[in-house]
Amino acid sequence: MTFPDKTPRGWILLLMLLFLNACDIQQAQLHQQQFLLFGTLVDISLWSDDKQKTENAIAQITTDLEKMHNEWHAWHDSPLTRLNKALAAGQPGTVPPSMIPLLQKSIALSNASDGLFNPAIGRLINLWGFQQDDAPSNTPPDAARIQDLTTAQPKMQDLVLAHDQLTSRNPNVQLDFGAIAKGYAVDLAIEKLRALGIHNAIINAGGNLRAIGKHGDRPWRIGIRNPRGPGVLASIEARGDESMLTSGDYERFFEYQGKRYHHIIDPRTGYPARGFTSVTVIYPDAATADAASTALFVAGPQHWRDIAKKMGLQYIMIVDDKGHVTMTPAMAERVRFELNPAPNFSIVALP
Ligand code: AMP
Ligand code: MG
């Protein structure tokens, strides 16, 4: 049959095509958008059959994320750097509305992690050269300066918030939300997507992600990066609404005399935390998972189980500096190794 032909069947086919077109029936499909923010690649993946709604949602959350990035920036001129200046001068500083819940959540999570997640150590992070757009210098800072900032013990409990006015009992407090902001921003973006009627999505900020719903008729499959070398170490199927965040020593670092100095600082010593190369945590909300992955990284081989218990975590996967993988039993049940051969691993229960 040539088409369009003049037989009754040809006319019926033509009418059906016109009807479908008029209804604008769209196939559900994957929509993706990537951009650079928070010093990393942000990837938005939506599964939807409504192109218009999808485009609008992506535009809105892109704007939201840009605003958060600008308001919470730790070294560009921002409401956060202005607040830090006030605290350093012993003055009250104004907390913008977007930062109040982030600050409150950070105080609670810092307490829950015994202060190992400590966003008050901005001065130490700056001293190590990890608050700059360029690559950090390739020598560790002066030991005496590290010692001074460590013994000054800046901590979140030094802060007092009254309405939108923040004061610090310790002028050495300098806020840096680098260990929680990506997770918290992802939470807010997912909330916005839901409000816009999108229920199947992943928002991934450099391996820090939250997934909702499904990818069509199958679950979203999410990857954990190989901390040493290319590719994916392992993958996991997301269950409905879940966040998976990884802290790794490969994100920002320099090497000096054969040793790696990275951006996750142990507030107890003032030096980069030792023992692990990556820590992955799955938890319902991304902000908690973000703070927790940093806290466990800092806790190190001796203390991570106690901190995990305190923070109410269940799903944890750790790669140590020898490449050995340790997982909690709940995590081990869900992990599929993607490297060949699979790494050596052990399964360790929490206390
Ligand atoms: P993450 O990749 O989530 O582990 O966060 C690392 C970032 O958080 C660093 O680049 C610093 O800005 C900041 N940071 C480093 N060490 C700590 C710490 N012990 N507690 C809170 N934030 C930290
Ligand atoms: Mg973190």
Side-chain angles (χ1 to χ4, degrees), residues 226-228 233 247-250 260 273-280 296-297 300-302 304 317-327 343-346 348:
N226 176 10
R228 292 288 183 271
L233 168 65
S247 284
D249 71 351
Y250 46 81
R260 181 180 292 231
R274 294 286 171 216
F276 297 153
T277 57
S278 84
V279 175
T280 300
L296 297 189
F297 196 110
Q302 300 302 318
W304 71 269
M317 176 168 171
I318 295 171
V319 186
D320 74 13
D321 54 11
K322 313 265 180 323
H324 185 86
V325 173
T326 303
M327 292 175 280
N344 291 326
F345 69 91
S346 32
V348 174

PDB file of all heavy atoms in Angstrom, residues 226-228 233 247-250 260 273-280 296-297 300-302 304 317-327 343-346 348:
ATOM      1  N   ASN A 226      34.883   4.651  41.382  1.00  0.00           N
ATOM      2  CA  ASN A 226      36.128   4.001  41.790  1.00  0.00           C
ATOM      3  C   ASN A 226      37.072   5.098  42.304  1.00  0.00           C
ATOM      4  O   ASN A 226      37.451   5.980  41.545  1.00  0.00           O
ATOM      5  CB  ASN A 226      36.725   3.292  40.570  1.00  0.00           C
ATOM      6  CG  ASN A 226      38.071   2.677  40.855  1.00  0.00           C
ATOM      7  OD1 ASN A 226      38.496   2.602  42.001  1.00  0.00           O
ATOM      8  ND2 ASN A 226      38.739   2.237  39.799  1.00  0.00           N
ATOM      9  N   PRO A 227      37.458   5.057  43.604  1.00  0.00           N
ATOM     10  CA  PRO A 227      38.271   6.172  44.114  1.00  0.00           C
ATOM     11  C   PRO A 227      39.691   6.218  43.549  1.00  0.00           C
ATOM     12  O   PRO A 227      40.346   7.242  43.633  1.00  0.00           O
ATOM     13  CB  PRO A 227      38.302   5.937  45.628  1.00  0.00           C
ATOM     14  CG  PRO A 227      37.943   4.514  45.832  1.00  0.00           C
ATOM     15  CD  PRO A 227      37.104   4.090  44.654  1.00  0.00           C
ATOM     16  N   ARG A 228      40.155   5.114  43.017  1.00  0.00           N
ATOM     17  CA  ARG A 228      41.494   5.098  42.408  1.00  0.00           C
ATOM     18  C   ARG A 228      41.354   4.505  41.005  1.00  0.00           C
ATOM     19  O   ARG A 228      41.243   3.298  40.853  1.00  0.00           O
ATOM     20  CB  ARG A 228      42.468   4.236  43.229  1.00  0.00           C
ATOM     21  CG  ARG A 228      42.805   4.813  44.585  1.00  0.00           C
ATOM     22  CD  ARG A 228      43.711   6.051  44.471  1.00  0.00           C
ATOM     23  NE  ARG A 228      44.072   6.550  45.789  1.00  0.00           N
ATOM     24  CZ  ARG A 228      43.362   7.437  46.474  1.00  0.00           C
ATOM     25  NH1 ARG A 228      42.239   7.922  45.978  1.00  0.00           N
ATOM     26  NH2 ARG A 228      43.776   7.836  47.649  1.00  0.00           N
ATOM     27  N   LEU A 233      32.966   1.682  40.675  1.00  0.00           N
ATOM     28  CA  LEU A 233      33.361   0.590  41.562  1.00  0.00           C
ATOM     29  C   LEU A 233      32.205  -0.380  41.771  1.00  0.00           C
ATOM     30  O   LEU A 233      32.368  -1.592  41.730  1.00  0.00           O
ATOM     31  CB  LEU A 233      33.794   1.188  42.906  1.00  0.00           C
ATOM     32  CG  LEU A 233      33.982   0.233  44.082  1.00  0.00           C
ATOM     33  CD1 LEU A 233      35.141  -0.725  43.827  1.00  0.00           C
ATOM     34  CD2 LEU A 233      34.228   1.010  45.366  1.00  0.00           C
ATOM     35  N   SER A 247      31.989  10.798  50.110  1.00  0.00           N
ATOM     36  CA  SER A 247      33.117  11.705  50.391  1.00  0.00           C
ATOM     37  C   SER A 247      34.369  10.990  49.939  1.00  0.00           C
ATOM     38  O   SER A 247      34.582   9.831  50.303  1.00  0.00           O
ATOM     39  CB  SER A 247      33.225  11.978  51.891  1.00  0.00           C
ATOM     40  OG  SER A 247      32.231  12.874  52.288  1.00  0.00           O
ATOM     41  N   GLY A 248      35.202  11.675  49.164  1.00  0.00           N
ATOM     42  CA  GLY A 248      36.404  11.003  48.665  1.00  0.00           C
ATOM     43  C   GLY A 248      37.625  11.903  48.739  1.00  0.00           C
ATOM     44  O   GLY A 248      37.517  13.127  48.642  1.00  0.00           O
ATOM     45  N   ASP A 249      38.790  11.279  48.874  1.00  0.00           N
ATOM     46  CA  ASP A 249      40.030  12.070  48.966  1.00  0.00           C
ATOM     47  C   ASP A 249      40.536  12.468  47.586  1.00  0.00           C
ATOM     48  O   ASP A 249      41.618  13.030  47.464  1.00  0.00           O
ATOM     49  CB  ASP A 249      41.108  11.293  49.733  1.00  0.00           C
ATOM     50  CG  ASP A 249      41.656  10.122  48.934  1.00  0.00           C
ATOM     51  OD1 ASP A 249      41.102   9.801  47.867  1.00  0.00           O
ATOM     52  OD2 ASP A 249      42.655   9.521  49.385  1.00  0.00           O
ATOM     53  N   TYR A 250      39.796  12.130  46.531  1.00  0.00           N
ATOM     54  CA  TYR A 250      40.213  12.419  45.154  1.00  0.00           C
ATOM     55  C   TYR A 250      39.588  13.722  44.640  1.00  0.00           C
ATOM     56  O   TYR A 250      39.914  14.192  43.566  1.00  0.00           O
ATOM     57  CB  TYR A 250      39.796  11.255  44.225  1.00  0.00           C
ATOM     58  CG  TYR A 250      38.372  10.802  44.460  1.00  0.00           C
ATOM     59  CD1 TYR A 250      37.299  11.485  43.905  1.00  0.00           C
ATOM     60  CD2 TYR A 250      38.093   9.712  45.291  1.00  0.00           C
ATOM     61  CE1 TYR A 250      35.995  11.110  44.164  1.00  0.00           C
ATOM     62  CE2 TYR A 250      36.788   9.322  45.548  1.00  0.00           C
ATOM     63  CZ  TYR A 250      35.746  10.016  44.971  1.00  0.00           C
ATOM     64  OH  TYR A 250      34.453   9.651  45.234  1.00  0.00           O
ATOM     65  N   ARG A 260      49.495  12.210  49.957  1.00  0.00           N
ATOM     66  CA  ARG A 260      48.333  12.957  49.481  1.00  0.00           C
ATOM     67  C   ARG A 260      47.746  13.814  50.608  1.00  0.00           C
ATOM     68  O   ARG A 260      47.478  13.320  51.709  1.00  0.00           O
ATOM     69  CB  ARG A 260      47.274  11.962  48.982  1.00  0.00           C
ATOM     70  CG  ARG A 260      46.018  12.619  48.422  1.00  0.00           C
ATOM     71  CD  ARG A 260      45.018  11.567  47.954  1.00  0.00           C
ATOM     72  NE  ARG A 260      45.507  10.852  46.776  1.00  0.00           N
ATOM     73  CZ  ARG A 260      44.810  10.687  45.645  1.00  0.00           C
ATOM     74  NH1 ARG A 260      43.586  11.179  45.545  1.00  0.00           N
ATOM     75  NH2 ARG A 260      45.319  10.018  44.638  1.00  0.00           N
ATOM     76  N   ALA A 273      42.166  13.929  57.041  1.00  0.00           N
ATOM     77  CA  ALA A 273      41.858  12.668  57.721  1.00  0.00           C
ATOM     78  C   ALA A 273      42.567  11.515  57.011  1.00  0.00           C
ATOM     79  O   ALA A 273      42.659  11.508  55.783  1.00  0.00           O
ATOM     80  CB  ALA A 273      40.345  12.455  57.717  1.00  0.00           C
ATOM     81  N   ARG A 274      43.037  10.558  57.778  1.00  0.00           N
ATOM     82  CA  ARG A 274      43.812   9.445  57.214  1.00  0.00           C
ATOM     83  C   ARG A 274      43.071   8.111  57.341  1.00  0.00           C
ATOM     84  O   ARG A 274      42.290   7.920  58.273  1.00  0.00           O
ATOM     85  CB  ARG A 274      45.150   9.322  57.953  1.00  0.00           C
ATOM     86  CG  ARG A 274      46.072  10.505  57.734  1.00  0.00           C
ATOM     87  CD  ARG A 274      46.676  10.487  56.333  1.00  0.00           C
ATOM     88  NE  ARG A 274      47.392  11.723  56.018  1.00  0.00           N
ATOM     89  CZ  ARG A 274      47.415  12.278  54.815  1.00  0.00           C
ATOM     90  NH1 ARG A 274      46.759  11.735  53.806  1.00  0.00           N
ATOM     91  NH2 ARG A 274      48.082  13.394  54.601  1.00  0.00           N
ATOM     92  N   GLY A 275      43.340   7.220  56.407  1.00  0.00           N
ATOM     93  CA  GLY A 275      42.836   5.838  56.527  1.00  0.00           C
ATOM     94  C   GLY A 275      41.919   5.421  55.390  1.00  0.00           C
ATOM     95  O   GLY A 275      41.990   4.302  54.910  1.00  0.00           O
ATOM     96  N   PHE A 276      41.047   6.359  54.941  1.00  0.00           N
ATOM     97  CA  PHE A 276      40.070   6.001  53.907  1.00  0.00           C
ATOM     98  C   PHE A 276      40.317   6.790  52.612  1.00  0.00           C
ATOM     99  O   PHE A 276      40.880   7.895  52.639  1.00  0.00           O
ATOM    100  CB  PHE A 276      38.651   6.319  54.373  1.00  0.00           C
ATOM    101  CG  PHE A 276      38.200   5.530  55.583  1.00  0.00           C
ATOM    102  CD1 PHE A 276      37.237   6.048  56.446  1.00  0.00           C
ATOM    103  CD2 PHE A 276      38.730   4.271  55.860  1.00  0.00           C
ATOM    104  CE1 PHE A 276      36.810   5.323  57.563  1.00  0.00           C
ATOM    105  CE2 PHE A 276      38.309   3.539  56.976  1.00  0.00           C
ATOM    106  CZ  PHE A 276      37.346   4.071  57.828  1.00  0.00           C
ATOM    107  N   THR A 277      39.852   6.212  51.507  1.00  0.00           N
ATOM    108  CA  THR A 277      39.859   6.980  50.245  1.00  0.00           C
ATOM    109  C   THR A 277      38.443   7.384  49.842  1.00  0.00           C
ATOM    110  O   THR A 277      38.264   8.403  49.182  1.00  0.00           O
ATOM    111  CB  THR A 277      40.511   6.197  49.088  1.00  0.00           C
ATOM    112  OG1 THR A 277      39.827   4.965  48.936  1.00  0.00           O
ATOM    113  CG2 THR A 277      41.971   5.918  49.361  1.00  0.00           C
ATOM    114  N   SER A 278      37.440   6.579  50.219  1.00  0.00           N
ATOM    115  CA  SER A 278      36.065   7.050  49.993  1.00  0.00           C
ATOM    116  C   SER A 278      35.093   6.403  50.974  1.00  0.00           C
ATOM    117  O   SER A 278      35.304   5.278  51.434  1.00  0.00           O
ATOM    118  CB  SER A 278      35.623   6.836  48.541  1.00  0.00           C
ATOM    119  OG  SER A 278      35.140   5.544  48.328  1.00  0.00           O
ATOM    120  N   VAL A 279      34.065   7.170  51.293  1.00  0.00           N
ATOM    121  CA  VAL A 279      33.002   6.695  52.179  1.00  0.00           C
ATOM    122  C   VAL A 279      31.666   7.033  51.525  1.00  0.00           C
ATOM    123  O   VAL A 279      31.416   8.195  51.191  1.00  0.00           O
ATOM    124  CB  VAL A 279      33.062   7.384  53.566  1.00  0.00           C
ATOM    125  CG1 VAL A 279      31.870   6.955  54.419  1.00  0.00           C
ATOM    126  CG2 VAL A 279      34.368   7.074  54.277  1.00  0.00           C
ATOM    127  N   THR A 280      30.837   6.019  51.333  1.00  0.00           N
ATOM    128  CA  THR A 280      29.519   6.225  50.718  1.00  0.00           C
ATOM    129  C   THR A 280      28.433   5.881  51.729  1.00  0.00           C
ATOM    130  O   THR A 280      28.522   4.849  52.403  1.00  0.00           O
ATOM    131  CB  THR A 280      29.371   5.319  49.477  1.00  0.00           C
ATOM    132  OG1 THR A 280      30.395   5.662  48.557  1.00  0.00           O
ATOM    133  CG2 THR A 280      28.008   5.487  48.821  1.00  0.00           C
ATOM    134  N   LEU A 296      32.088  10.215  58.798  1.00  0.00           N
ATOM    135  CA  LEU A 296      32.679   8.864  58.860  1.00  0.00           C
ATOM    136  C   LEU A 296      34.080   8.864  58.262  1.00  0.00           C
ATOM    137  O   LEU A 296      34.966   8.158  58.737  1.00  0.00           O
ATOM    138  CB  LEU A 296      31.809   7.851  58.101  1.00  0.00           C
ATOM    139  CG  LEU A 296      30.400   7.608  58.631  1.00  0.00           C
ATOM    140  CD1 LEU A 296      29.770   6.425  57.907  1.00  0.00           C
ATOM    141  CD2 LEU A 296      30.394   7.354  60.129  1.00  0.00           C
ATOM    142  N   PHE A 297      34.266   9.669  57.217  1.00  0.00           N
ATOM    143  CA  PHE A 297      35.601   9.775  56.618  1.00  0.00           C
ATOM    144  C   PHE A 297      36.588  10.278  57.665  1.00  0.00           C
ATOM    145  O   PHE A 297      37.699   9.765  57.813  1.00  0.00           O
ATOM    146  CB  PHE A 297      35.551  10.715  55.401  1.00  0.00           C
ATOM    147  CG  PHE A 297      36.750  10.585  54.504  1.00  0.00           C
ATOM    148  CD1 PHE A 297      36.647  10.016  53.247  1.00  0.00           C
ATOM    149  CD2 PHE A 297      37.997  11.021  54.940  1.00  0.00           C
ATOM    150  CE1 PHE A 297      37.756   9.867  52.429  1.00  0.00           C
ATOM    151  CE2 PHE A 297      39.118  10.885  54.122  1.00  0.00           C
ATOM    152  CZ  PHE A 297      38.994  10.308  52.866  1.00  0.00           C
ATOM    153  N   GLY A 300      37.451   7.733  60.608  1.00  0.00           N
ATOM    154  CA  GLY A 300      38.534   6.807  60.281  1.00  0.00           C
ATOM    155  C   GLY A 300      38.287   5.393  60.777  1.00  0.00           C
ATOM    156  O   GLY A 300      37.242   5.091  61.379  1.00  0.00           O
ATOM    157  N   PRO A 301      39.272   4.504  60.540  1.00  0.00           N
ATOM    158  CA  PRO A 301      39.101   3.076  60.818  1.00  0.00           C
ATOM    159  C   PRO A 301      38.715   2.775  62.270  1.00  0.00           C
ATOM    160  O   PRO A 301      38.002   1.809  62.532  1.00  0.00           O
ATOM    161  CB  PRO A 301      40.476   2.477  60.497  1.00  0.00           C
ATOM    162  CG  PRO A 301      41.110   3.453  59.558  1.00  0.00           C
ATOM    163  CD  PRO A 301      40.563   4.798  59.900  1.00  0.00           C
ATOM    164  N   GLN A 302      39.186   3.574  63.221  1.00  0.00           N
ATOM    165  CA  GLN A 302      38.933   3.275  64.642  1.00  0.00           C
ATOM    166  C   GLN A 302      37.515   3.619  65.093  1.00  0.00           C
ATOM    167  O   GLN A 302      36.958   2.964  65.963  1.00  0.00           O
ATOM    168  CB  GLN A 302      39.912   4.059  65.538  1.00  0.00           C
ATOM    169  CG  GLN A 302      41.366   3.766  65.288  1.00  0.00           C
ATOM    170  CD  GLN A 302      41.679   2.282  65.471  1.00  0.00           C
ATOM    171  OE1 GLN A 302      41.189   1.656  66.412  1.00  0.00           O
ATOM    172  NE2 GLN A 302      42.455   1.730  64.549  1.00  0.00           N
ATOM    173  N   TRP A 304      34.610   4.846  62.967  1.00  0.00           N
ATOM    174  CA  TRP A 304      33.470   5.053  62.063  1.00  0.00           C
ATOM    175  C   TRP A 304      32.211   4.307  62.502  1.00  0.00           C
ATOM    176  O   TRP A 304      31.100   4.806  62.342  1.00  0.00           O
ATOM    177  CB  TRP A 304      33.843   4.713  60.614  1.00  0.00           C
ATOM    178  CG  TRP A 304      34.037   3.254  60.308  1.00  0.00           C
ATOM    179  CD1 TRP A 304      35.186   2.558  60.375  1.00  0.00           C
ATOM    180  CD2 TRP A 304      33.033   2.331  59.874  1.00  0.00           C
ATOM    181  NE1 TRP A 304      34.984   1.248  60.022  1.00  0.00           N
ATOM    182  CE2 TRP A 304      33.658   1.085  59.703  1.00  0.00           C
ATOM    183  CE3 TRP A 304      31.656   2.418  59.612  1.00  0.00           C
ATOM    184  CZ2 TRP A 304      32.985  -0.059  59.291  1.00  0.00           C
ATOM    185  CZ3 TRP A 304      30.977   1.291  59.193  1.00  0.00           C
ATOM    186  CH2 TRP A 304      31.629   0.061  59.041  1.00  0.00           C
ATOM    187  N   MET A 317      29.418   2.098  52.791  1.00  0.00           N
ATOM    188  CA  MET A 317      30.476   1.384  52.072  1.00  0.00           C
ATOM    189  C   MET A 317      31.740   2.239  52.125  1.00  0.00           C
ATOM    190  O   MET A 317      31.708   3.423  51.797  1.00  0.00           O
ATOM    191  CB  MET A 317      30.054   1.186  50.621  1.00  0.00           C
ATOM    192  CG  MET A 317      31.118   0.547  49.792  1.00  0.00           C
ATOM    193  SD  MET A 317      30.357   0.056  48.238  1.00  0.00           S
ATOM    194  CE  MET A 317      31.793  -0.389  47.365  1.00  0.00           C
ATOM    195  N   ILE A 318      32.831   1.630  52.551  1.00  0.00           N
ATOM    196  CA  ILE A 318      34.095   2.361  52.740  1.00  0.00           C
ATOM    197  C   ILE A 318      35.191   1.696  51.915  1.00  0.00           C
ATOM    198  O   ILE A 318      35.282   0.469  51.897  1.00  0.00           O
ATOM    199  CB  ILE A 318      34.491   2.339  54.235  1.00  0.00           C
ATOM    200  CG1 ILE A 318      33.453   3.107  55.064  1.00  0.00           C
ATOM    201  CG2 ILE A 318      35.889   2.924  54.431  1.00  0.00           C
ATOM    202  CD1 ILE A 318      33.625   2.965  56.554  1.00  0.00           C
ATOM    203  N   VAL A 319      35.990   2.521  51.241  1.00  0.00           N
ATOM    204  CA  VAL A 319      37.195   2.002  50.605  1.00  0.00           C
ATOM    205  C   VAL A 319      38.368   2.574  51.391  1.00  0.00           C
ATOM    206  O   VAL A 319      38.447   3.795  51.583  1.00  0.00           O
ATOM    207  CB  VAL A 319      37.295   2.439  49.129  1.00  0.00           C
ATOM    208  CG1 VAL A 319      38.488   1.755  48.461  1.00  0.00           C
ATOM    209  CG2 VAL A 319      36.007   2.127  48.372  1.00  0.00           C
ATOM    210  N   ASP A 320      39.261   1.688  51.869  1.00  0.00           N
ATOM    211  CA  ASP A 320      40.384   2.222  52.649  1.00  0.00           C
ATOM    212  C   ASP A 320      41.586   2.490  51.741  1.00  0.00           C
ATOM    213  O   ASP A 320      41.539   2.231  50.526  1.00  0.00           O
ATOM    214  CB  ASP A 320      40.708   1.322  53.857  1.00  0.00           C
ATOM    215  CG  ASP A 320      41.402   0.023  53.456  1.00  0.00           C
ATOM    216  OD1 ASP A 320      41.862  -0.095  52.299  1.00  0.00           O
ATOM    217  OD2 ASP A 320      41.487  -0.871  54.321  1.00  0.00           O
ATOM    218  N   ASP A 321      42.649   3.007  52.359  1.00  0.00           N
ATOM    219  CA  ASP A 321      43.792   3.435  51.527  1.00  0.00           C
ATOM    220  C   ASP A 321      44.600   2.266  50.958  1.00  0.00           C
ATOM    221  O   ASP A 321      45.563   2.471  50.232  1.00  0.00           O
ATOM    222  CB  ASP A 321      44.680   4.437  52.282  1.00  0.00           C
ATOM    223  CG  ASP A 321      45.126   3.913  53.629  1.00  0.00           C
ATOM    224  OD1 ASP A 321      44.927   2.705  53.893  1.00  0.00           O
ATOM    225  OD2 ASP A 321      45.674   4.700  54.418  1.00  0.00           O
ATOM    226  N   LYS A 322      44.185   1.030  51.276  1.00  0.00           N
ATOM    227  CA  LYS A 322      44.805  -0.141  50.631  1.00  0.00           C
ATOM    228  C   LYS A 322      43.879  -0.695  49.540  1.00  0.00           C
ATOM    229  O   LYS A 322      44.154  -1.748  48.956  1.00  0.00           O
ATOM    230  CB  LYS A 322      45.058  -1.257  51.660  1.00  0.00           C
ATOM    231  CG  LYS A 322      45.713  -0.815  52.946  1.00  0.00           C
ATOM    232  CD  LYS A 322      47.221  -1.013  52.878  1.00  0.00           C
ATOM    233  CE  LYS A 322      47.953  -0.585  54.126  1.00  0.00           C
ATOM    234  NZ  LYS A 322      47.483   0.605  54.840  1.00  0.00           N
ATOM    235  N   GLY A 323      42.727  -0.051  49.330  1.00  0.00           N
ATOM    236  CA  GLY A 323      41.781  -0.526  48.311  1.00  0.00           C
ATOM    237  C   GLY A 323      40.802  -1.570  48.829  1.00  0.00           C
ATOM    238  O   GLY A 323      39.978  -2.085  48.077  1.00  0.00           O
ATOM    239  N   HIS A 324      40.875  -1.878  50.122  1.00  0.00           N
ATOM    240  CA  HIS A 324      39.959  -2.863  50.703  1.00  0.00           C
ATOM    241  C   HIS A 324      38.585  -2.211  50.955  1.00  0.00           C
ATOM    242  O   HIS A 324      38.508  -1.075  51.416  1.00  0.00           O
ATOM    243  CB  HIS A 324      40.535  -3.386  52.023  1.00  0.00           C
ATOM    244  CG  HIS A 324      39.715  -4.478  52.623  1.00  0.00           C
ATOM    245  ND1 HIS A 324      39.879  -5.811  52.283  1.00  0.00           N
ATOM    246  CD2 HIS A 324      38.692  -4.441  53.506  1.00  0.00           C
ATOM    247  CE1 HIS A 324      38.996  -6.533  52.948  1.00  0.00           C
ATOM    248  NE2 HIS A 324      38.264  -5.731  53.702  1.00  0.00           N
ATOM    249  N   VAL A 325      37.529  -2.958  50.637  1.00  0.00           N
ATOM    250  CA  VAL A 325      36.175  -2.425  50.799  1.00  0.00           C
ATOM    251  C   VAL A 325      35.531  -3.024  52.052  1.00  0.00           C
ATOM    252  O   VAL A 325      35.607  -4.226  52.280  1.00  0.00           O
ATOM    253  CB  VAL A 325      35.319  -2.773  49.550  1.00  0.00           C
ATOM    254  CG1 VAL A 325      33.866  -2.376  49.760  1.00  0.00           C
ATOM    255  CG2 VAL A 325      35.895  -2.087  48.314  1.00  0.00           C
ATOM    256  N   THR A 326      34.932  -2.147  52.854  1.00  0.00           N
ATOM    257  CA  THR A 326      34.171  -2.598  54.026  1.00  0.00           C
ATOM    258  C   THR A 326      32.732  -2.118  53.881  1.00  0.00           C
ATOM    259  O   THR A 326      32.503  -0.955  53.532  1.00  0.00           O
ATOM    260  CB  THR A 326      34.770  -2.007  55.328  1.00  0.00           C
ATOM    261  OG1 THR A 326      36.144  -2.400  55.402  1.00  0.00           O
ATOM    262  CG2 THR A 326      34.039  -2.502  56.550  1.00  0.00           C
ATOM    263  N   MET A 327      31.806  -3.033  54.120  1.00  0.00           N
ATOM    264  CA  MET A 327      30.384  -2.661  53.998  1.00  0.00           C
ATOM    265  C   MET A 327      29.625  -3.112  55.236  1.00  0.00           C
ATOM    266  O   MET A 327      29.975  -4.133  55.842  1.00  0.00           O
ATOM    267  CB  MET A 327      29.753  -3.370  52.792  1.00  0.00           C
ATOM    268  CG  MET A 327      30.275  -2.902  51.469  1.00  0.00           C
ATOM    269  SD  MET A 327      29.581  -3.889  50.124  1.00  0.00           S
ATOM    270  CE  MET A 327      30.609  -5.334  50.188  1.00  0.00           C
ATOM    271  N   PRO A 343      36.852  -6.056  44.063  1.00  0.00           N
ATOM    272  CA  PRO A 343      37.846  -5.825  45.114  1.00  0.00           C
ATOM    273  C   PRO A 343      37.653  -6.789  46.287  1.00  0.00           C
ATOM    274  O   PRO A 343      36.590  -7.401  46.424  1.00  0.00           O
ATOM    275  CB  PRO A 343      37.555  -4.388  45.547  1.00  0.00           C
ATOM    276  CG  PRO A 343      36.129  -4.160  45.179  1.00  0.00           C
ATOM    277  CD  PRO A 343      35.848  -4.999  43.982  1.00  0.00           C
ATOM    278  N   ASN A 344      38.700  -6.912  47.110  1.00  0.00           N
ATOM    279  CA  ASN A 344      38.536  -7.662  48.373  1.00  0.00           C
ATOM    280  C   ASN A 344      37.602  -6.857  49.258  1.00  0.00           C
ATOM    281  O   ASN A 344      37.706  -5.632  49.313  1.00  0.00           O
ATOM    282  CB  ASN A 344      39.878  -7.792  49.088  1.00  0.00           C
ATOM    283  CG  ASN A 344      40.806  -8.699  48.325  1.00  0.00           C
ATOM    284  OD1 ASN A 344      40.352  -9.661  47.696  1.00  0.00           O
ATOM    285  ND2 ASN A 344      42.085  -8.395  48.346  1.00  0.00           N
ATOM    286  N   PHE A 345      36.715  -7.575  49.935  1.00  0.00           N
ATOM    287  CA  PHE A 345      35.802  -6.831  50.806  1.00  0.00           C
ATOM    288  C   PHE A 345      35.501  -7.612  52.078  1.00  0.00           C
ATOM    289  O   PHE A 345      35.669  -8.827  52.135  1.00  0.00           O
ATOM    290  CB  PHE A 345      34.501  -6.488  50.065  1.00  0.00           C
ATOM    291  CG  PHE A 345      33.618  -7.668  49.764  1.00  0.00           C
ATOM    292  CD1 PHE A 345      32.640  -8.072  50.655  1.00  0.00           C
ATOM    293  CD2 PHE A 345      33.759  -8.374  48.575  1.00  0.00           C
ATOM    294  CE1 PHE A 345      31.823  -9.154  50.374  1.00  0.00           C
ATOM    295  CE2 PHE A 345      32.952  -9.451  48.284  1.00  0.00           C
ATOM    296  CZ  PHE A 345      31.989  -9.845  49.189  1.00  0.00           C
ATOM    297  N   SER A 346      35.050  -6.866  53.101  1.00  0.00           N
ATOM    298  CA  SER A 346      34.532  -7.527  54.290  1.00  0.00           C
ATOM    299  C   SER A 346      33.235  -6.864  54.710  1.00  0.00           C
ATOM    300  O   SER A 346      32.961  -5.710  54.322  1.00  0.00           O
ATOM    301  CB  SER A 346      35.540  -7.505  55.446  1.00  0.00           C
ATOM    302  OG  SER A 346      36.313  -6.354  55.403  1.00  0.00           O
ATOM    303  N   VAL A 348      30.970  -5.751  57.904  1.00  0.00           N
ATOM    304  CA  VAL A 348      31.155  -5.451  59.324  1.00  0.00           C
ATOM    305  C   VAL A 348      29.858  -4.882  59.885  1.00  0.00           C
ATOM    306  O   VAL A 348      29.337  -3.880  59.365  1.00  0.00           O
ATOM    307  CB  VAL A 348      32.308  -4.434  59.504  1.00  0.00           C
ATOM    308  CG1 VAL A 348      32.421  -3.983  60.943  1.00  0.00           C
ATOM    309  CG2 VAL A 348      33.632  -5.026  59.038  1.00  0.00           C
TER     310      VAL A 348
END
